[in-house]
């Protein structure tokens, strides 16, 4: 171990997250390696190691001969201070080598609040933040993940973005890099070639001009860059890589268990949900393969927890067969099988009861809106009756703690909708009184509301986020309407959601705001104890930009969106139509009931659903 | 099968795995090999597995002890190699056998405390430190069982001490009491810092070398 590292580890909290060496961490002989990839997660070890996508791509890359992918996480503030204080550059966990010496530095960016952590990691590596200030081919700085569907706020920092799923695309990029390195290409030449790989977006190859009012006048491709960059997807889940042998951290992380990804995409089409649109279409893994992977992963890892993950696991067609197929094995190996992201319907509840034999962990439902009218408007197809039925089953089955999630500030929301949330909570209390099998333990209902953030590639991408004052008024309205003692009300702090609304639909002029905020100390904004909106407001003022322009402005139908070069195959017409339906509170059937012709079928050769 | 005792090394990167995390890690290592640990009875059954003497985070050891019970029969000679195929880097099982003595008879620890000096070992340091730790009393602050700090004379807990000087490092080879009360070898360095501040090292490395029974023989 590095002697300098040894000196600082005794001074920091949870040092085990900075040393690597975990079971299944991949070590390679540098003599056999010609491309070294520093896979950076712009958040802590505990969060990053809980991310299945990160584990998948780690495995995919390390399966490539001659390629060594190593992990890098954002250090916590105490560790950062030690690193900086002792002049130790950011290093990768496997080899301990400095990140700046790698060929490719790749960020996995799932959420906008991680942007400043990205900048901080580049800075800790001792690298210039801006792509233009890193003239050499290496290290090449790339970024992928859901947030990169709008890469504009980080456009000046990265060399390229990878849009969509990385399983096929990342190896193609690495092969191109390998060739470029061997043949001594310079960076511009490499980038011009890279933009021809499907799903690769090179921001510097697009010129953006603005109108006087700050909206975009035109985005012009340069040097033969494609007019549109289409996301990449894995077509056949059964043929795609699954990390059955994966790193088992030696210290506790957030999701410390076997995660089986049962499918990708979501059939539901909730109109606010970016994941629901950009991950289309739904692609299932087969039951048999999942059973096999589940067993392999438990045997290899020694985990005693397994979870079936997806955007909406109750929608997996083979769910019962899968649970039945796994249950004997799980019982034999004392493995506890859990199902997150369930819908509030009867089927899911029955399944829950069967699985949670004895264990009554808290139940979570996300009706998202307080009235049927608004739930229809956002296409969250859950009825109050379904919710009540689920609660009945839960309470009579012995559960006594329920969490309910809602959003405030959804388009078309009125005070009636806000008060409807309190009504739902009240109903839940009544249902408990009537049906609880065991009243002695008391009831705990938690109502949580977040502040709606309009996201790109959703039906609400044109919407304004409601103003701060209005959001606070609605919180107060709801707080005063929730009277039952058994109900606790939590609301999101507004600062984070406001910044999210700015960054989510930001253009590349935000790069200088980002850099300014970073210089003022923004670096782990995803953590409320490290986040301070004032830094950002100051940065906006210094850069002469108005945050409300990004967060609180309604866009017109013909406005050029900053991300309009990118396509997730779902057409703008479809999204706009969905928005119109929202204003009429008309729902859209799920993809399995009826195809709405969103455009995503293009990736599947024109056909989304086969049985 | 009844009670078993596993001896293992913990060093390098693994030195930073905390006590609780190590417990979890071992449970998984056994499961990787399909070895089912016996569980306690009761409402929240947990596997019967415990460390004889928890090792402070950051210290290394050649002589860690894990006591456990299994349900089935186990080839104890083959066990270390089996477990090692599923270990994190820096942990290595050495031997497994039925325990000879109960943990309460673990009397002493043989250990090595490296005092590192970045420029060079101050002249006369070895003699002064030997005199300090071999002298009358050495009172330093120490955590008691009740987690509060108290002044304790650690001199009676130092049973044997030998110093060795190498470039940039002064090695203290000590035998200290293991329990009732036990001495964390890192406190030998703390004593130097308190009584001989001019000899404060730039860094301290601690490694357990062997566990001993009351007669000074290897604890088994
Ligand atoms: S169910 Fe709705 S909110 Fe959940 S992932 Fe699917 S579309 Fe998004
Ligand atoms: S093409 Fe049809 S079935 Fe496929 S994702 Fe779009 S709406 Fe759903």
């Amino acid at each position: 171990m590095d002697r300098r590292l040894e000196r600082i580890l005794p001074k920091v909290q949870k040092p085990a997250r900075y040393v690597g060496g975990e079971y299944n961490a991949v070590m390679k002989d540098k003599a056999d390696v010609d491309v070294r990839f520093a896979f950076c997660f712009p958040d802590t070890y505990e969060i990053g190691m809980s991310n299945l996508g990160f584990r998948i791509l780690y495995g995919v890359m390390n399966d490539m001969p001659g390629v060594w992918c190593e992990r890098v996480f954002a250090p916590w503030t105490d560790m950062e201070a030690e690193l900086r204080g002792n002049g130790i550059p950011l290093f990768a966990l496997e080899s301990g080598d400095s990140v700046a010496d790698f060929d490719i530095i790749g960020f996995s960016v799932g959420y906008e609040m991680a942007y400043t952590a990205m900048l901080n990691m580049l800075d800790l590596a001792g690298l210039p933040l801006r792509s233009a200030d890193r003239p050499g081919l290496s290290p090449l700085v790339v970024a992928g993940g859901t947030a990169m569907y709008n890469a504009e706020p980080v456009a000046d920092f990265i060399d390229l973005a990878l849009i969509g799923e990385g399983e096929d695309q990342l190896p193609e990029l690495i092969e191109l890099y390998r060739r470029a390195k061997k043949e001594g290409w310079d960076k511009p030449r490499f980038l011009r070639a890279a933009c021809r790989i499907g799903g690769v977006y090179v921001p510097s190859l697009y010129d953006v001009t603005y109108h006087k009012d700050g909206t975009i006048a035109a985005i012009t491709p340069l040097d033969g860059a494609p007019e549109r960059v289409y996301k990449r997807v894995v077509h056949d889940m059964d043929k795609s890589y699954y990390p059955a042998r994966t790193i088992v951290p030696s210290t506790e992380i957030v999701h410390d268990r076997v995660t089986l990804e049962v499918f990708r995409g979501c059939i539901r089409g909730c109109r606010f949900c970016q994941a629901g649109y950009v991950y289309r279409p739904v692609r299932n893994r087969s039951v048999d393969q999942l059973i096999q992977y589940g067993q392999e992963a438990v045997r290899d890892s020694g985990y005693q927890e397994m979870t079936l993950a997806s955007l909406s696991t109750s929608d997996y067609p083979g769910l019962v067969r899968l649970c039945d197929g796994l249950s004997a094995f799980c019982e034999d190996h004392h493995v506890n099988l859990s199902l997150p992201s369930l819908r509030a319907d009867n089927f899911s509840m029955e399944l829950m009861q069967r699985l949670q034999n004895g264990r009554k962990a808290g139940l979570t439902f996300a009706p998202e809106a307080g009235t049927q009218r608004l739930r229809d408007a956002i296409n969250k197809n859950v009825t109050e009756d379904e919710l009540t039925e689920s609660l009945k089953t839960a309470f009579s089955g012995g559960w006594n703690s329920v969490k309910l999630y809602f959003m405030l500030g959804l388009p078309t929301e009125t005070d009636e909708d806000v008060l409807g949330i309190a009504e739902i909570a009240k109903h839940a209390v009544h249902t408990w009184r009537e049906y609880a099998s065991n009243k002695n333990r008391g009831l705990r209902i938690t109502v949580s509301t977040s502040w709606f953030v309009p996201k790109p590639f959703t039906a609400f991408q044109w919407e304004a986020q409601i103003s701060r004052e209005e959001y606070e008024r609605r919180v107060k309205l709801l707080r005063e309407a929730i009277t039952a003692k058994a109900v606790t009300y939590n609301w999101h702090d507004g600062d984070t959601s406001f910044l999210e609304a700015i960054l989510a639909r930001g253009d590349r002029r935000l790069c200088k705001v980002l850099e300014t905020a970073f210089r003022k100390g923004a670096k782990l904004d995803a953590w409320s104890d490290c986040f301070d909106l004032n830094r950002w407001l100051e940065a906006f003022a210094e850069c002469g930009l108005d945050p409300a322009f990004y967060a609180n402005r309604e866009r017109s139908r013909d406005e050029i969106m900053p991300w309009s070069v990118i396509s997730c195959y779902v057409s703008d017409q479809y999204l706009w139509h969905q928005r119109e339906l929202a204003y009429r509170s008309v729902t859209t059937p799920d993809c399995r009931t009826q195809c709405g012709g969103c455009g995503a079928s293009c990736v599947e050769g024109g056909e989304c659903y086969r049985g | 099968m009844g009670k078993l005792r596993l001896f293992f090394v913990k060093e390098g990167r693994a030195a930073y795995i905390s006590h609780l995390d190590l417990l979890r890690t071992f449970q998984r290592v056994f499961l990787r090999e399909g070895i089912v640990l016996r569980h306690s009875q009761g409402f929240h059954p947990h596997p019967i597995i415990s460390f004889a003497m928890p090792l402070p985070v950051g210290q290394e050891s050649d002589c860690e002890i894990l006591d456990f019970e299994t349900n089935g029969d186990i080839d104890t000679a083959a066990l270390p190699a089996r477990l090692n195929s599923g270990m994190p880097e820096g942990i290595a099982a050495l031997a497994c056998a039925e325990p000879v003595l109960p943990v309460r008879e673990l009397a002493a620890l043989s250990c090595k405390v490296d005092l590192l000096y970045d420029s060079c070992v101050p002249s006369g340091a070895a003699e002064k430190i030997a005199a300090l730790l071999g002298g009358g009393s050495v009172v330093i602050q120490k955590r008691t069982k009740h987690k509060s700090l108290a002044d304790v004379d650690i001199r009676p807990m130092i049973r044997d001490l030998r110093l060795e000087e190498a470039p940039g490092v002064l090695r203290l080879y000590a035998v200290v009491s293991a329990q009732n009360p036990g001495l964390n070898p890192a406190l030998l360095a703390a004593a130097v810092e308190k009584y001989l501040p001019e000899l404060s090292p730039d860094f301290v490395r601690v490694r357990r070398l062997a566990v001993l029974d009351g007669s000074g023989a290897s604890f088994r």
Side-chain angles (χ1 to χ4, degrees):
Chain A
M1 181 178 306
D2 186 279
R3 295 265 179 261
R4 291 178 302 169
L5 185 59
E6 183 189 23
R7 296 274 172 111
I8 62 176
L9 287 174
K11 300 182 196 166
V12 301
Q13 288 174 43
K14 304 189 197 158
R17 53 189 167 167
Y18 305 116
V19 296
E22 309 93 322
Y23 171 68
N24 278 343
V26 176
M27 298 301 286
K28 292 194 178 183
D29 183 346
K30 284 182 214 171
D32 305 332
V33 169
D34 56 1
V35 180
R36 296 190 63 186
F37 192 102
F39 200 9
C40 300
F41 198 94
D43 207 323
T44 60
Y45 178 90
E46 292 87 331
I47 305 282
M49 286 306 295
S50 300
N51 186 290
L52 181 65
F54 191 73
R55 288 169 177 272
I56 291 174
L57 295 177
Y58 180 81
V60 166
M61 286 189 266
N62 277 320
D63 273 2
M64 295 175 73
V67 176
W68 189 9
C69 168
E70 304 183 40
R71 295 160 300 148
V72 189
F73 300 96
W76 192 247
T77 48
D78 58 347
M79 182 63 169
E80 182 192 340
E82 292 296 337
L83 290 174
R84 288 190 188 277
N86 291 282
I88 306 175
L90 190 67
F91 57 90
L93 290 187
E94 279 76 0
S95 64
D97 290 342
S98 170
V99 168
D101 298 334
F102 279 66
D103 291 292
I104 306 176
I105 298 173
F107 285 95
S108 165
V109 200
Y111 30 89
E112 297 85 5
M113 297 304 278
Y115 289 160
T116 45
M118 264 172 90
L119 298 193
N120 197 30
M121 288 170 82
L122 287 175
D123 190 58
L124 278 166
L127 291 167
L129 299 184
R130 291 182 174 259
S131 161
D133 299 331
R134 297 183 308 260
L137 175 64
S138 80
L140 189 74
V141 177
V142 309
T146 318
M148 288 301 103
Y149 276 94
N150 178 20
E152 295 309 291
V154 293
D156 293 350
F157 310 118
I158 57 175
D159 296 319
L160 60 87
L162 298 152
I163 312 299
E165 297 164 8
E167 281 98 329
D168 302 324
Q169 173 191 42
L170 209 39
E172 289 170 25
L173 183 81
I174 290 173
E175 288 307 345
L176 184 70
Y177 176 89
R178 201 196 304 256
R179 187 176 151 211
K181 188 179 172 187
K182 204 155 73 196
E183 297 177 7
W185 299 6
D186 61 6
K187 184 152 112 178
R189 180 170 174 201
F190 175 79
L191 292 177
R192 281 196 305 273
C195 76
R196 291 196 201 103
I197 296 176
V200 169
Y201 172 60
V202 180
S204 57
L205 293 182
Y206 296 84
D207 183 50
V208 184
T209 52
Y210 301 87
H211 291 299
K212 275 216 174 61
D213 65 3
T215 57
I216 291 174
I219 305 178
T220 319
L222 310 171
D223 276 343
E227 296 271 340
R228 294 216 98 182
V229 173
Y230 293 92
K231 74 167 173 196
R232 292 291 288 272
V233 300
V234 164
H235 292 275
D236 185 346
M237 286 296 284
D238 279 353
K239 293 204 182 91
S240 84
Y241 177 89
Y242 174 76
R245 290 194 52 143
T246 186
I247 293 173
V248 180
S250 308
T251 181
E252 207 169 10
I253 58 170
V254 181
H255 299 307
D256 211 0
R257 58 199 177 204
V258 169
T259 304
L260 283 180
E261 184 186 26
V262 296
F263 64 85
R264 272 194 205 161
C266 180
I267 59 169
R268 296 283 156 189
C270 302
R271 289 175 181 141
F272 56 84
C273 178
Q274 189 184 40
Y277 288 116
V278 300
Y279 288 110
R280 288 176 177 219
V282 162
R283 288 144 292 149
N284 297 314
R285 229 188 252 279
S286 69
V287 171
D288 294 341
Q289 201 184 58
L290 286 166
I291 293 174
Q292 189 201 322
Y293 281 150
Q295 299 186 353
E296 247 177 81
V298 165
R299 285 208 179 91
D300 183 71
S301 64
Y303 274 129
Q304 292 189 294
E305 300 266 341
M306 189 191 310
T307 188
L308 305 182
S310 72
L311 288 172
S312 173
T313 298
S314 352
D315 288 327
Y316 181 59
L319 191 55
V320 173
R321 237 169 12 100
L322 175 59
C323 291
D324 287 346
L326 283 169
S327 69
F329 175 84
C330 287
E331 233 159 82
D332 279 356
H333 291 75
H334 307 283
V335 171
N336 180 55
L337 185 62
S338 65
L339 301 174
S341 63
L342 282 184
R343 284 167 60 75
D345 59 23
N346 259 335
F347 161 73
S348 309
M349 286 308 301
E350 278 168 30
L351 210 66
M352 269 304 258
Q353 282 200 305
R354 269 174 43 201
L355 288 178
Q356 306 257 304
N357 34 37
R359 307 209 336 172
K360 298 279 187 279
L363 272 182
T364 302
F365 298 113
E368 306 291 5
T371 60
Q372 196 58 47
R373 184 204 66 77
L374 187 52
R375 281 195 297 278
D376 288 347
I378 62 174
N379 208 41
K380 187 91 212 175
N381 297 328
V382 174
T383 65
E384 178 124 22
D385 285 349
E386 279 174 319
L387 183 65
T388 308
E389 276 304 311
S390 299
L391 289 173
K392 263 190 218 171
T393 321
F395 293 145
S396 49
W399 267 279
N400 65 340
S401 153
V402 177
K403 289 193 182 121
L404 299 169
Y405 286 97
F406 300 90
M407 279 188 268
L408 288 179
L410 284 162
T412 79
E413 185 180 64
T414 63
D415 285 358
E416 192 188 330
D417 300 309
V418 176
L419 294 171
I421 296 174
E423 282 301 305
I424 290 179
K426 202 157 99 192
H427 256 109
V429 177
H430 286 312
T431 311
W432 178 80
R433 282 215 190 97
E434 210 168 318
Y435 294 94
S437 57
N438 178 1
K439 292 209 184 70
N440 296 333
R441 287 197 295 159
L443 169 69
R444 277 217 343 261
I445 292 182
T446 313
V447 170
S448 300
T449 60
S450 60
W451 181 6
F452 168 64
V453 176
K455 295 266 177 148
F457 299 101
T458 67
F460 296 149
Q461 64 176 358
W462 294 273
E463 297 289 335
Q465 186 183 49
I466 57 167
S467 74
R468 176 74 178 236
E469 297 70 42
E470 179 56 19
Y471 168 65
E472 279 162 5
R473 189 189 67 82
R474 292 185 200 182
V475 166
K476 185 161 171 274
L477 183 69
L478 179 54
R479 201 175 58 210
E480 285 164 2
I482 291 179
T483 46
K485 249 177 109 187
V487 184
T488 316
Y489 175 37
N490 299 324
W491 60 95
H492 263 219
D493 117 82
D495 289 354
T496 304
S497 310
F498 180 55
L499 182 60
E500 248 181 81
I502 295 166
L503 295 177
R505 293 180 297 168
D507 53 42
R508 53 177 71 176
R509 290 175 304 179
L510 289 190
C511 293
K512 62 175 189 279
V513 179
L514 227 74
E515 188 172 351
T516 311
F518 165 67
R519 300 280 178 218
K520 289 176 181 296
K523 53 196 173 193
L524 278 173
D525 288 327
W527 294 82
S528 55
D529 27 342
C530 301
F531 174 61
D532 178 6
L533 185 64
N534 286 323
R535 288 187 195 116
W536 285 90
L537 297 178
E538 281 171 35
F540 268 99
E542 282 170 32
C543 298
L545 288 167
D546 176 14
F549 172 83
Y550 296 98
N552 310 114
R553 182 177 60 91
E554 186 178 332
R555 279 74 163 161
S556 69
R557 171 72 176 95
D558 51 9
E559 181 169 334
I560 298 173
M561 299 296 195
W563 55 88
S564 45
V565 171
I566 309 298
S567 169
C568 68
Y569 288 103
V570 176
S571 69
D572 267 5
Q573 292 87 300
Y574 180 80
L575 292 177
W576 183 262
H577 180 57
Q578 288 295 310
R579 184 191 192 219
E580 289 179 328
L581 293 178
Y583 276 85
R584 288 189 273 129
S585 298
V586 177
T587 60
T588 298
D590 68 70
C591 290
R592 204 167 284 149
T593 308
Q594 193 197 336
C595 169
C598 76
S601 58
C602 303
V603 270
E604 293 284 274
E607 193 189 352
C608 262
Y609 254 91
R610 307 175 198 93
Chain B
M1 202 141 176
K3 298 182 178 181
L4 288 173
R5 178 164 290 169
L6 184 79
F7 293 86
F8 65 96
V9 173
K10 185 172 184 260
E11 63 184 358
R13 308 195 201 214
Y16 300 93
I17 303 176
S18 72
H19 176 64
L20 255 172
D21 285 336
L22 189 65
L23 209 60
R24 227 188 323 263
T25 297
F26 263 104
Q27 288 175 22
R28 288 175 187 156
V29 170
F30 278 105
L31 288 168
R32 276 167 212 156
E33 280 306 305
I35 297 167
V36 182
L37 295 170
R38 243 188 75 198
H39 279 62
S40 63
Q41 308 291 309
F43 201 65
H44 291 293
H46 55 86
I48 302 180
I49 172 171
S50 65
F51 299 108
M53 280 189 37
L55 183 68
V57 172
Q59 296 188 7
E60 298 184 314
S61 174
D62 293 322
C63 55
E64 289 307 284
I65 290 175
L66 177 82
D67 283 348
F68 63 99
E69 296 181 30
T70 60
N71 283 330
D73 269 350
I74 279 188
D75 176 356
T76 51
L79 187 70
R82 277 178 74 190
L83 295 181
N84 286 341
S85 66
M87 288 290 192
E89 186 186 316
I91 300 181
L94 300 171
C96 178
E98 284 179 37
V100 179
L101 294 173
V103 169
R104 72 183 125 79
E105 288 187 35
L106 198 169
L109 269 181
S110 155
C111 58
K112 182 178 74 164
V113 179
D114 283 353
L115 307 181
L116 282 84
Y117 297 92
D118 289 345
S119 35
C120 63
V121 180
S123 65
E127 296 72 32
K128 285 185 202 156
I129 291 173
L132 167 71
L133 299 176
S137 71
V138 183
V139 178
I140 61 165
Q141 288 214 313
K142 180 178 180 294
R143 274 199 195 283
T144 65
K145 274 207 170 131
H146 315 287
K147 299 261 168 194
S148 58
L149 282 172
D151 281 339
V152 176
D153 181 7
I154 61 166
R155 177 62 190 87
M157 300 172 219
I158 307 171
R159 304 192 176 180
D160 190 21
L161 182 72
R162 186 164 59 81
L163 281 86
E164 211 178 85
E165 197 177 320
V169 53
L170 198 57
R171 297 215 157 94
L172 277 53
Y173 288 96
V175 175
V176 301
S177 6
Q179 43 189 355
N180 305 316
L183 179 63
N184 177 348
L187 292 179
L188 297 178
V192 171
E193 279 159 19
K194 179 182 168 190
Y195 286 92
L196 304 165
E198 70 284 6
L199 298 182
S200 291
D202 294 301
F203 193 68
V204 179
R205 255 188 230 137
V206 179
R207 189 176 183 108
R208 290 179 179 173
L209 302 176
V211 277
L212 309 171
D213 64 18
S215 70
S218 199
F219 175 86
R220 288 284 146 195

mmCIF file of all heavy atoms in Angstrom, chain B residues 68-84:
data_model
loop_
_atom_site.group_PDB
_atom_site.id
_atom_site.type_symbol
_atom_site.label_atom_id
_atom_site.label_comp_id
_atom_site.label_asym_id
_atom_site.label_seq_id
_atom_site.Cartn_x
_atom_site.Cartn_y
_atom_site.Cartn_z
ATOM 1 N N PHE B 68 -15.821 -20.656 16.031
ATOM 2 C CA PHE B 68 -17.123 -20.829 15.375
ATOM 3 C C PHE B 68 -17.624 -22.250 15.575
ATOM 4 O O PHE B 68 -16.884 -23.125 16.043
ATOM 5 C CB PHE B 68 -17.009 -20.502 13.878
ATOM 6 C CG PHE B 68 -16.069 -21.419 13.114
ATOM 7 C CD1 PHE B 68 -16.573 -22.484 12.369
ATOM 8 C CD2 PHE B 68 -14.697 -21.221 13.143
ATOM 9 C CE1 PHE B 68 -15.714 -23.327 11.663
ATOM 10 C CE2 PHE B 68 -13.830 -22.060 12.439
ATOM 11 C CZ PHE B 68 -14.339 -23.112 11.705
ATOM 12 N N GLU B 69 -18.873 -22.445 15.251
ATOM 13 C CA GLU B 69 -19.456 -23.784 15.316
ATOM 14 C C GLU B 69 -20.165 -24.082 14.010
ATOM 15 O O GLU B 69 -20.795 -23.213 13.432
ATOM 16 C CB GLU B 69 -20.452 -23.877 16.481
ATOM 17 C CG GLU B 69 -19.781 -23.687 17.831
ATOM 18 C CD GLU B 69 -20.769 -23.799 18.991
ATOM 19 O OE1 GLU B 69 -21.761 -24.540 18.853
ATOM 20 O OE2 GLU B 69 -20.553 -23.123 20.002
ATOM 21 N N THR B 70 -20.025 -25.322 13.566
ATOM 22 C CA THR B 70 -20.731 -25.694 12.336
ATOM 23 C C THR B 70 -21.692 -26.829 12.628
ATOM 24 O O THR B 70 -21.598 -27.494 13.659
ATOM 25 C CB THR B 70 -19.765 -26.181 11.246
ATOM 26 O OG1 THR B 70 -19.075 -27.316 11.743
ATOM 27 C CG2 THR B 70 -18.781 -25.113 10.857
ATOM 28 N N ASN B 71 -22.583 -27.021 11.671
ATOM 29 C CA ASN B 71 -23.539 -28.114 11.827
ATOM 30 C C ASN B 71 -22.971 -29.434 11.337
ATOM 31 O O ASN B 71 -23.000 -30.439 12.027
ATOM 32 C CB ASN B 71 -24.834 -27.792 11.087
ATOM 33 C CG ASN B 71 -25.667 -26.782 11.877
ATOM 34 O OD1 ASN B 71 -25.601 -26.743 13.097
ATOM 35 N ND2 ASN B 71 -26.411 -25.960 11.165
ATOM 36 N N GLY B 72 -22.413 -29.411 10.131
ATOM 37 C CA GLY B 72 -21.923 -30.657 9.560
ATOM 38 C C GLY B 72 -20.486 -30.954 9.959
ATOM 39 O O GLY B 72 -19.856 -30.196 10.695
ATOM 40 N N ASP B 73 -19.977 -32.090 9.459
ATOM 41 C CA ASP B 73 -18.574 -32.444 9.678
ATOM 42 C C ASP B 73 -17.699 -31.648 8.722
ATOM 43 O O ASP B 73 -18.085 -31.390 7.594
ATOM 44 C CB ASP B 73 -18.367 -33.931 9.398
ATOM 45 C CG ASP B 73 -18.553 -34.722 10.685
ATOM 46 O OD1 ASP B 73 -18.647 -34.075 11.751
ATOM 47 O OD2 ASP B 73 -18.623 -35.955 10.602
ATOM 48 N N ILE B 74 -16.517 -31.329 9.192
ATOM 49 C CA ILE B 74 -15.622 -30.533 8.356
ATOM 50 C C ILE B 74 -14.222 -31.104 8.434
ATOM 51 O O ILE B 74 -13.759 -31.504 9.500
ATOM 52 C CB ILE B 74 -15.606 -29.075 8.867
ATOM 53 C CG1 ILE B 74 -16.833 -28.345 8.335
ATOM 54 C CG2 ILE B 74 -14.355 -28.357 8.433
ATOM 55 C CD1 ILE B 74 -16.817 -26.892 8.623
ATOM 56 N N ASP B 75 -13.564 -31.160 7.274
ATOM 57 C CA ASP B 75 -12.161 -31.563 7.235
ATOM 58 C C ASP B 75 -11.346 -30.328 7.623
ATOM 59 O O ASP B 75 -11.127 -29.435 6.817
ATOM 60 C CB ASP B 75 -11.829 -32.033 5.810
ATOM 61 C CG ASP B 75 -10.349 -32.374 5.661
ATOM 62 O OD1 ASP B 75 -9.578 -32.164 6.640
ATOM 63 O OD2 ASP B 75 -9.967 -32.828 4.578
ATOM 64 N N THR B 76 -10.926 -30.278 8.879
ATOM 65 C CA THR B 76 -10.291 -29.055 9.379
ATOM 66 C C THR B 76 -8.967 -28.771 8.673
ATOM 67 O O THR B 76 -8.604 -27.621 8.485
ATOM 68 C CB THR B 76 -10.041 -29.126 10.895
ATOM 69 O OG1 THR B 76 -9.358 -30.344 11.180
ATOM 70 C CG2 THR B 76 -11.331 -29.061 11.668
ATOM 71 N N ALA B 77 -8.266 -29.822 8.272
ATOM 72 C CA ALA B 77 -6.975 -29.604 7.614
ATOM 73 C C ALA B 77 -7.160 -28.905 6.278
ATOM 74 O O ALA B 77 -6.340 -28.085 5.868
ATOM 75 C CB ALA B 77 -6.259 -30.941 7.410
ATOM 76 N N ALA B 78 -8.270 -29.230 5.600
ATOM 77 C CA ALA B 78 -8.490 -28.662 4.271
ATOM 78 C C ALA B 78 -9.174 -27.301 4.337
ATOM 79 O O ALA B 78 -9.235 -26.578 3.348
ATOM 80 C CB ALA B 78 -9.334 -29.620 3.426
ATOM 81 N N LEU B 79 -9.700 -26.963 5.499
ATOM 82 C CA LEU B 79 -10.524 -25.754 5.585
ATOM 83 C C LEU B 79 -9.801 -24.453 5.214
ATOM 84 O O LEU B 79 -10.335 -23.659 4.446
ATOM 85 C CB LEU B 79 -11.159 -25.632 6.977
ATOM 86 C CG LEU B 79 -12.175 -24.492 7.082
ATOM 87 C CD1 LEU B 79 -13.431 -24.799 6.284
ATOM 88 C CD2 LEU B 79 -12.519 -24.180 8.528
ATOM 89 N N PRO B 80 -8.576 -24.218 5.745
ATOM 90 C CA PRO B 80 -7.938 -22.934 5.422
ATOM 91 C C PRO B 80 -7.846 -22.682 3.922
ATOM 92 O O PRO B 80 -8.212 -21.597 3.448
ATOM 93 C CB PRO B 80 -6.549 -23.055 6.052
ATOM 94 C CG PRO B 80 -6.772 -23.975 7.209
ATOM 95 C CD PRO B 80 -7.787 -24.978 6.723
ATOM 96 N N ALA B 81 -7.419 -23.667 3.157
ATOM 97 C CA ALA B 81 -7.278 -23.470 1.718
ATOM 98 C C ALA B 81 -8.637 -23.174 1.095
ATOM 99 O O ALA B 81 -8.766 -22.315 0.210
ATOM 100 C CB ALA B 81 -6.662 -24.701 1.069
ATOM 101 N N ARG B 82 -9.668 -23.872 1.558
ATOM 102 C CA ARG B 82 -11.004 -23.632 1.011
ATOM 103 C C ARG B 82 -11.441 -22.195 1.274
ATOM 104 O O ARG B 82 -11.926 -21.514 0.384
ATOM 105 C CB ARG B 82 -12.022 -24.572 1.669
ATOM 106 C CG ARG B 82 -12.082 -25.946 1.054
ATOM 107 C CD ARG B 82 -13.088 -26.822 1.801
ATOM 108 N NE ARG B 82 -14.471 -26.482 1.516
ATOM 109 C CZ ARG B 82 -15.501 -26.989 2.194
ATOM 110 N NH1 ARG B 82 -15.287 -27.833 3.201
ATOM 111 N NH2 ARG B 82 -16.723 -26.659 1.878
ATOM 112 N N LEU B 83 -11.288 -21.762 2.518
ATOM 113 C CA LEU B 83 -11.721 -20.394 2.855
ATOM 114 C C LEU B 83 -10.911 -19.355 2.092
ATOM 115 O O LEU B 83 -11.437 -18.331 1.665
ATOM 116 C CB LEU B 83 -11.592 -20.153 4.357
ATOM 117 C CG LEU B 83 -12.504 -20.991 5.258
ATOM 118 C CD1 LEU B 83 -12.267 -20.624 6.720
ATOM 119 C CD2 LEU B 83 -13.977 -20.807 4.914
ATOM 120 N N ASN B 84 -9.634 -19.626 1.919
ATOM 121 C CA ASN B 84 -8.777 -18.619 1.283
ATOM 122 C C ASN B 84 -9.159 -18.321 -0.154
ATOM 123 O O ASN B 84 -8.853 -17.249 -0.670
ATOM 124 C CB ASN B 84 -7.307 -19.045 1.360
ATOM 125 C CG ASN B 84 -6.763 -18.868 2.768
ATOM 126 O OD1 ASN B 84 -7.351 -18.126 3.570
ATOM 127 N ND2 ASN B 84 -5.680 -19.555 3.089
#
